[in-house]
Amino acid sequence: MDYPAKSIRMIVSGNINRLLSESKKTRHQICDDLGIKYTTFCDWIKGNSSPKLESLEAMSSYFGVEIGDFFVDFDDPGDISKRLSSYAAHAMTLDVSILDSITDDQFRELINKGFSFRHKSLEEYIRESGRKLVASPEYAWGSPVGDELW
């Protein structure tokens, strides 16, 4: 069965609505928690506009999902490469964790379409852990002997 193609804006809108419903949070709660203007958030929900990357990052952290999840049409029964390539023009950087769920051929296809992959920065890992960064004790490994990297 062929399904009509949805716009990226409508896919993102549907996913925000789904996450809103699953979290049992109100629009006002989310706007207050994330510092998002209420009317802007309502435009995203209605599909009138799409959030920028910074807002998607904030919402992905808030809801505990990957940024790429906002662009996946969960109503479309197609395979993951079709879903990922559908938003190639919108978001060319994917979280490296997506590599666990795609095949080598799908990976090559994404690379050929211009995607790049990003992992979390040290600062992001520290922020997520909720702990302070503590330096480990230094060890004396002896005198340099050649082309060490430090």
Side-chain angles (χ1 to χ4, degrees), residues 23-42:
S23 69
K24 307 243 189 288
K25 301 260 185 181
T26 67
R27 294 176 183 188
H28 284 289
Q29 284 176 306
I30 292 171
C31 290
D32 289 344
D33 292 347
L34 298 178
I36 298 171
K37 192 172 160 186
Y38 181 78
T39 54
T40 301
F41 189 72
C42 290

Side-chain angles (χ1 to χ4, degrees), residues 130-141:
R131 300 184 311 200
K132 288 185 176 184
L133 177 64
V134 178
S136 60
E138 291 192 28
Y139 295 96
W141 296 99

Side-chain angles (χ1 to χ4, degrees), residues 66 69 72 79-81 83-84 87 94-104 106-107 110 117:
E66 298 295 328
D69 292 344
V72 176
D79 67 5
I80 192 150
S81 64
R83 293 187 303 223
L84 288 174
Y87 66 92
L94 299 172
D95 191 277
V96 75
S97 65
I98 194 76
L99 297 177
D100 294 334
S101 61
I102 63 174
T103 66
D104 289 346
Q106 291 168 332
F107 173 73
L110 292 172
F117 296 88

Side-chain angles (χ1 to χ4, degrees), residues 10 59 127:
M10 294 311 295
M59 285 191 295
R127 191 172 38 252

Side-chain angles (χ1 to χ4, degrees), residues 50-108:
S50 293
K52 294 189 187 297
L53 181 60
E54 297 81 24
S55 299
L56 286 172
E57 287 173 338
M59 285 191 295
S60 70
S61 177
Y62 184 82
F63 289 117
V65 299
E66 298 295 328
I67 291 176
D69 292 344
F70 286 100
F71 299 98
V72 176
D73 185 0
F74 289 99
D75 296 330
D76 185 352
D79 67 5
I80 192 150
S81 64
K82 177 182 169 196
R83 293 187 303 223
L84 288 174
S85 65
S86 71
Y87 66 92
H90 185 75
M92 298 301 287
T93 303
L94 299 172
D95 191 277
V96 75
S97 65
I98 194 76
L99 297 177
D100 294 334
S101 61
I102 63 174
T103 66
D104 289 346
D105 289 337
Q106 291 168 332
F107 173 73
R108 281 186 208 88

